[in-house]
Amino acid sequence: MEIRSFSDIGSARVTSEIVSENESFIEYSVLTKKLSPILSELKQYKLMDTSPIRKAVESLETELGRAKALTTRRGSSKPPSKKQVEDVAQGLGRSLGLVLFASRDVQLLSKEKIEALRREMMSVRFDLSPESDFVNDGETDQTGETDQTGETEGEIEEEIGQDRITLDIGDVVLRIKYGKDDEFKSALSAFNSMIRDHMITSEWINEEGVIPILFNRLGTSKQNNRLTIIQILRSLASQNDGNKEKMADAGYLTTLVKSLVRHEEEQREAVGLLSSLSDVSGVRRRIGRVQGCIIMLVAILNGDDPVASGDAGSLLSALSSNTQNALHMAEAGYFKPLVHYLKEGSDMSKILMATALSRMKLTDQRKSSLGSDGAIELLVQMFQGGKLEAKLLALSALQSLSTLKENIQRLISIGIISSLLQLLFSVTSVLMTLREPASAILAKIAESDSILVNQEVAHQMLSLLSLSTPAVQNHLLQALNSIATHKSSSKVRRKMNENGAIQLLLPFLAHNNTKIRTGALDLLYTLSKDISEELTEQLAETNLSIIINVVLSRVSERETAAAVGILSNLPVSDKKVTDIFKKANLIPVLMSILCSSPANSMPTTRLLEESIAGVFLRFTVPSDKKLQAFSVQQGVIPFLVKLLSSESLLTKSRAATSLSQLSQNTMSLKKTKTRWLCVPPSDVDFCEVHDCRCSVKGTFCLVKAGAIPKMVQVLESNEGDTDEAVLGALATLLQDETWENGSNYIVKVAGVQPFIKILKQGTVKAQEKALWILERIFRVDAHRVEFGESAQVLLIDLAQKGDPKLKSVTAKVLAHLEVLQLQSSYF
């Protein structure tokens, strides 16, 4: 749209024409003459559709009318004052500015000339002292005379002031609509002040469309301006509900929600505005649908700003009247509305909430929060008293929550166990769908040793095994395994064995479901620890073969570990079992299994190590040299030495025991040196302890196997559970035929100090073995001199305060150190 230029404005210089250099007189006729053409030129604006331009022209028309009124008063008894002329001139300048601002997107040919005139108008200034007025205002005030129109000066000034307010508001709105940066910022500040001073009405706000303008600018403004906009909107919302209704537009709410993730002050103002708008039903309905809104509100609720947190809580409370919003809050980690619906909602609402809980992926923290908020108790009530669908969904939700230990304690304290067992024993067909989640919850509850308060629970579960579906059987086996492995469950295990648990489990060893088979093997392994002597008879050869086949097939590491564990619990003295193991070629299979397992301390790997070391105790019994030779030829000794570095104390103890059993027969296998040979034997083969040619496979020599330094390391690690087995192995080097060479070798590998430490902190049996070894070492003068002083104080203390069983052997050691006479009463 093109606007033609002002023909007479360009060259006008208002201040030079209406104010003389000495500011003594204003040519009113010149002012009127120059400004009148402006009015006629600009009347075309009033015909345009653009509202801002039309309003700007109307404002200019008003100012021109006021200027004309002043010129008519020139010859009156009450001429205009300098202040009035100055105000009119500046008002004309502001009106021209509005015209320019409103037409910024319009092609205006005389824009530069209008801008020049605007500046001239705005620069009009007079000396406002009384002496420089056109007339003596003081005299006028005294006379109180009126001008030709009958108006007093005060009335005229009041009229001008009112018009100025109207003009300023229009100016501010235009700048809010179209201003940029500082201009926009100052307009917002002015508008905010006008609202505080009650200078604008609701009607005017409606007519000008202020609320849509503010929301439109909110989405594109800078941070400080956004903050002011939201503060203005909060002020408008507090005035009346009509303004709130206008802010309920979905687009406006979406724009406002974006401020929830911005600067702290802006966030606080935004959540405060949203909270006040929540009185409007449309707002509550729409705001929950704004993507990310509820998540942000929950974050603010949990934040550090108490004001914003309080407003967020109020808003969430208002939004929670909608069940879908309550679910969104739960997904964001705020569960109070959900728990409220579980407690006081309709049956349908409860089902909806339970369904959501059963499907949510909950962190442990959120499971804890739900438990603290009372969800566990309400879900149990729903399970115990609801209809079939409610029962099922309540159990599903409880199954999800029961993975947390503290929630398990809540379930136990509520007394849900009897209800779950009653359900499992039920033969009602409609309740069959509830048995799987019920058994799953029982499996979780069984992880707590609090379940042992009722020792009949395990027996009841055992009786359900053969009557259940595979899914339920799997959960029951998990529960029984948890119960059987609790530290204080020895009485429960004994009762399970008395009630025929082994026979109940045997059919599951051949089950085609791997989980069930593994669960049965795990439980059988745990129960077999207590009935080692009876185990062979209970298993019979058929089931023993099944277990061995599980080991040979290596279906899974867990299954294999449990099977090997059962084999390790069979009595070592049963030669028939040993023969079955030999025929199955079990030794290389077991070594291969462990070598192919991951090198870590996972429970399954640990169990596998311990169980294999337990099986090897059978193949190294000192009473059967042929069996020992059979085992050694298959590489048992290097394998056992390697197990001395295991992280499992039981594995190290069992490996040391097996090595000790093998070493007991080394002397009987040694070959005397052949002195008549022309070529002496190689030093590589010669053993400095056994004083003969030794080898690992030929004489089972621990020295040649490199086991002694590793055993000393085990003693130095202060792991008391391994001391007895390791000391027993080292003692085999100090028998009557080898005690001196054995003592020298142990000293050589720094083995004396660990023995002395055991005198201070070891068990009685470990102390007894350590004393036996030290008694032989201190027979050698050099060793007494080197180590006697460090051992003497401990030995005296042990003689005085130690176990009576140690009295005699302690006295012998002290005698070697010449602290006691051999005739002492200690002997």
Side-chain angles (χ1 to χ4, degrees):
M1 178 173 69
E2 183 174 327
I3 301 176
R4 60 192 178 88
S5 63
F6 301 106
S7 57
D8 295 331
I9 294 179
S11 60
R13 304 288 292 178
V14 175
T15 52
S16 63
E17 293 180 329
I18 65 173
V19 182
S20 65
E21 276 189 328
N22 58 11
E23 298 181 352
S24 61
F25 186 74
I26 296 178
E27 284 287 348
Y28 301 109
S29 60
V30 174
L31 176 63
T32 305
K33 187 183 297 184
K34 291 295 183 182
L35 294 179
S36 294
I38 294 175
L39 180 60
S40 60
E41 290 285 348
L42 295 179
K43 284 183 178 179
Q44 59 178 314
Y45 285 98
K46 297 177 69 175
L47 302 176
M48 296 179 181
D49 294 333
T50 307
S51 177
I53 295 177
R54 184 172 64 251
K55 289 182 179 296
V57 175
E58 289 174 353
S59 174
L60 180 59
E61 186 177 16
T62 302
E63 290 297 329
L64 288 171
R66 185 175 293 110
K68 188 174 181 180
L70 286 178
T71 61
T72 62
R73 294 172 55 192
R74 177 184 174 188
S76 67
S77 60
K78 185 64 176 179
S81 67
K82 292 180 181 181
K83 181 66 171 65
Q84 290 173 340
V85 175
E86 182 179 303
D87 286 346
V88 169
Q90 292 179 1
L92 285 168
R94 278 192 290 270
S95 295
L96 287 172
L98 287 177
V99 170
L100 288 171
F101 187 78
S103 61
R104 62 177 184 167
D105 296 325
V106 180
Q107 185 178 358
L108 190 61
L109 298 177
S110 302
K111 191 171 290 188
E112 293 182 2
K113 295 181 180 180
I114 295 175
E115 173 61 20
L117 181 57
R118 183 192 69 79
R119 290 178 181 175
E120 292 290 346
M121 292 289 187
M122 296 301 295
S123 66
V124 170
R125 293 290 186 274
F126 293 101
D127 180 5
L128 298 181
S129 62
E131 296 78 10
S132 61
D133 280 346
F134 290 113
V135 295
N136 192 324
D137 290 336
E139 293 177 359
T140 305
D141 290 339
Q142 291 174 3
T143 59
E145 294 179 2
T146 62
D147 58 16
Q148 294 175 356
T149 61
E151 295 177 314
T152 66
E153 182 179 350
E155 291 171 341
I156 294 173
E157 289 179 350
E158 182 179 354
E159 177 188 347
I160 293 173
Q162 293 297 326
D163 289 340
R164 181 62 24 74
I165 291 173
T166 304
L167 175 63
D168 289 347
I169 293 175
D171 189 3
V172 166
V173 171
L174 284 171
R175 293 174 186 271
I176 289 175
K177 284 183 180 179
Y178 305 109
K180 293 183 179 179
D181 300 335
D182 292 342
E183 189 177 51
F184 178 57
K185 182 178 180 181
S186 61
L188 285 174
S189 179
F191 192 71
N192 205 7
S193 299
M194 292 175 183
I195 294 175
R196 286 198 304 268
D197 296 338
H198 306 289
M199 295 172 62
I200 54 178
T201 64
S202 298
E203 292 76 11
W204 186 88
I205 290 171
N206 294 338
E207 291 174 1
E208 295 294 331
V210 172
I211 290 174
I213 293 171
L214 291 173
F215 273 107
N216 288 338
R217 295 304 300 264
L218 180 61
T220 58
S221 297
K222 295 181 179 179
Q223 177 183 315
N224 290 338
N225 291 338
R226 289 196 305 268
L227 179 61
T228 306
I229 290 172
I230 299 173
Q231 289 172 341
I232 292 172
L233 289 169
R234 289 192 71 178
S235 297
L236 295 177
S238 65
Q239 290 182 357
N240 57 66
D241 292 340
N243 288 341
K244 290 183 180 181
E245 293 284 353
K246 292 181 178 63
M247 298 179 194
D249 180 83
Y252 299 163
L253 295 175
T254 301
T255 301
L256 191 56
V257 165
K258 292 178 181 177
S259 293
L260 296 179
V261 293
R262 288 174 172 151
H263 190 268
E264 182 179 345
E265 284 188 82
E266 182 178 347
Q267 181 187 83
R268 185 188 306 127
E269 294 294 334
V271 74
L273 176 55
L274 287 170
S275 179
S276 65
L277 294 179
S278 64
D279 297 341
V280 181
S281 59
V283 171
R284 294 194 299 273
R285 185 173 62 254
R286 293 169 191 145
I287 196 172
R289 300 174 187 170
V290 178
Q291 186 175 6
C293 176
I294 288 178
I295 294 175
M296 289 182 277
L297 288 173
V298 172
I300 295 170
L301 175 70
N302 298 324
D304 299 328
D305 187 335
V307 175
S309 177
D311 286 334
S314 299
L315 181 53
L316 287 169
S317 178
L319 295 177
S320 66
S321 59
N322 180 291
T323 55
Q324 198 62 40
N325 288 342
L327 293 177
H328 288 320
M329 293 174 199
E331 290 171 352
Y334 181 56
F335 297 105
K336 287 187 178 179
L338 181 146
V339 173
H340 173 77
Y341 278 108
L342 284 176
K343 183 178 182 180
E344 299 181 9
S346 64
D347 291 344
M348 197 62 219
S349 296
K350 292 178 180 179
I351 288 174
L352 185 63
M353 299 301 144
T355 302
L357 281 179
S358 65
R359 294 176 180 175
M360 283 182 191
K361 292 183 179 180
L362 298 168
T363 62
D364 285 349
Q365 183 179 0
R366 292 186 174 185
K367 290 174 184 177
S368 176
S369 178
L370 279 161
S372 301
D373 289 343
I376 301 289
E377 291 82 353
L378 295 170
L379 288 168
V380 170
Q381 291 174 14
M382 190 173 169
F383 157 62
Q384 292 175 336
K387 296 180 181 178
L388 179 62
E389 184 182 11
K391 288 179 181 290
L392 179 59
L393 291 169
L395 283 177
S396 298
L398 287 170
Q399 184 178 348
S400 174
L401 297 176
S402 64
T403 58
L404 189 67
K405 188 174 182 180
E406 61 190 74
N407 285 344
I408 291 174
Q409 292 303 125
R410 290 187 175 101
L411 286 169
I412 293 173
S413 62
I414 293 170
I416 196 176
I417 296 176
S418 58
S419 298
L420 294 174
L421 287 171
Q422 184 179 356
L423 174 60
L424 290 173
F425 277 107
S426 174
V427 293
T428 306
S429 58
V430 293
L431 298 178
M432 296 301 285
T433 56
L434 304 178
R435 299 184 75 191
E436 182 178 352
S439 61
I441 295 170
L442 267 179
K444 290 298 180 183
I445 291 175
E447 293 176 5
S448 169
D449 56 7
S450 299
I451 198 171
L452 296 176
V453 174
N454 184 355
Q455 296 190 4
E456 293 298 319
V457 171
H459 175 65
Q460 290 173 314
M461 290 184 187
L462 274 173
S463 63
L464 285 167
L465 271 177
S466 58
L467 305 173
S468 304
T469 62
V472 175
Q473 288 173 337
N474 180 39
H475 292 310
L476 289 174
L477 286 168
Q478 289 178 27
L480 288 165
N481 268 303
S482 295
I483 292 173
T485 52
H486 289 310
K487 292 182 179 180
S488 56
S489 64
S490 57
K491 291 182 179 179
V492 175
R493 288 198 302 271
R494 183 173 65 250
K495 194 165 186 179
M496 289 170 71
N497 281 323
E498 290 173 355
N499 292 330
I502 299 294
Q503 296 304 313
L504 283 170
L505 293 171
L506 291 177
F508 294 103
L509 299 181
H511 204 286
N512 56 7
N513 185 305
T514 303
K515 289 183 178 180
I516 292 176
R517 191 169 60 245
T518 302
L521 285 165
D522 281 341
L523 185 54
L524 189 58
Y525 162 67
T526 302
L527 296 177
S528 66
K529 296 176 184 178
D530 300 327
I531 56 167
S532 178
E533 297 302 322
E534 307 168 22
L535 187 57
T536 305
E537 182 180 347
Q538 292 216 37
L539 288 179
E541 192 170 340
T542 302
N543 291 305
L544 183 57
S545 298
I546 292 174
I547 295 171
I548 292 173
N549 285 331
V550 170
V551 176
L552 299 177
S553 62
R554 307 189 199 182
V555 174
S556 70
E557 187 177 39
R558 177 66 183 274
E559 192 174 348
T560 303
V564 176
I566 296 169
L567 298 181
S568 70
N569 288 334
L570 289 163
V572 172
S573 59
D574 194 324
K575 292 186 177 181
K576 185 177 180 180
V577 172
T578 304
D579 289 338
I580 293 173
F581 287 179
K582 286 178 65 177
K583 288 178 182 178
N585 200 25
L586 204 57
I587 292 177
V589 171
L590 294 177
M591 290 192 294
S592 174
I593 289 172
L594 192 55
C595 290
S596 62
S597 296
N600 53 38
S601 58
M602 289 175 60
T604 303
T605 304
R606 185 188 186 94
L607 173 59
L608 198 55
E609 278 187 354
E610 293 172 350
S611 299
I612 290 174
V615 172
F616 284 175
L617 289 171
R618 171 188 301 280
F619 288 100
T620 58
V621 289
S623 61
D624 193 337
K625 294 180 183 177
K626 288 184 177 180
L627 181 60
Q628 283 187 331
F630 171 79
S631 305
V632 170
Q633 289 301 317
Q634 296 189 68
V636 163
I637 290 181
F639 185 81
L640 291 170
V641 172
K642 186 178 179 181
L643 289 182
L644 290 174
S645 301
S646 169
E647 294 185 8
S648 165
L649 300 183
L650 181 58
T651 298
K652 286 190 280 194
S653 179
R654 286 176 170 178
T657 301
S658 287
L659 289 170
S660 174
Q661 291 179 160
L662 291 166
S663 182
Q664 289 175 34
N665 286 322
T666 298
M667 287 304 297
S668 64
L669 296 172
K670 79 173 185 176
K671 298 179 181 178
T672 306
K673 292 187 292 181
T674 52
R675 305 186 180 201
W676 43 268
L677 287 176
C678 297
V679 181
S682 169
D683 289 341
V684 176
D685 295 332
F686 188 78
C687 176
E688 58 186 292
V689 173
H690 299 112
D691 197 25
C692 68
R693 296 178 66 183
C694 273
S695 66
V696 173
K697 291 187 177 181
T699 60
F700 316 153
C701 179
L702 300 187
V703 177
K704 292 299 179 182
I708 306 305
K710 288 199 172 186
M711 289 182 179
V712 171
Q713 289 176 6
V714 173
L715 291 178
E716 288 175 339
S717 63
N718 296 323
E719 298 169 338
D721 292 340
T722 62
D723 289 346
E724 293 178 39
V726 172
L727 290 169
L730 293 174
T732 61
L733 304 183
L734 301 170
Q735 300 301 319
D736 292 341
E737 297 173 301
T738 59
W739 69 265
E740 188 170 358
N741 289 340
S743 296
N744 292 334
Y745 184 76
I746 288 175
V747 170
K748 180 180 176 181
V749 296
V752 176
Q753 287 301 329
F755 302 149
I756 295 174
K757 285 183 180 178
I758 289 172
L759 296 181
K760 182 178 181 180
Q761 59 192 28
T763 63
V764 172
K765 288 185 178 180
Q767 288 174 333
E768 187 175 12
K769 290 186 178 182
L771 285 168
W772 187 91
I773 293 172
L774 285 171
E775 190 274 332
R776 280 157 176 73
I777 291 174
F778 286 157
R779 290 176 185 178
V780 180
D781 292 341
H783 303 333
R784 286 200 302 271
V785 172
E786 185 176 358
F787 301 105
E789 186 175 349
S790 61
Q792 183 173 305
V793 174
L794 284 173
L795 288 166
I796 293 173
D797 187 66
L798 198 63
Q800 293 175 344
K801 303 176 184 177
D803 191 279
K805 296 178 183 178
L806 307 176
K807 187 175 182 180
S808 177
V809 67
T810 303
K812 287 182 180 180
V813 179
L814 288 171
H816 286 306
L817 298 178
E818 298 181 351
V819 175
L820 288 177
Q821 298 296 324
L822 291 175
Q823 293 79 18
S824 171
S825 60
Y826 279 95
F827 297 98

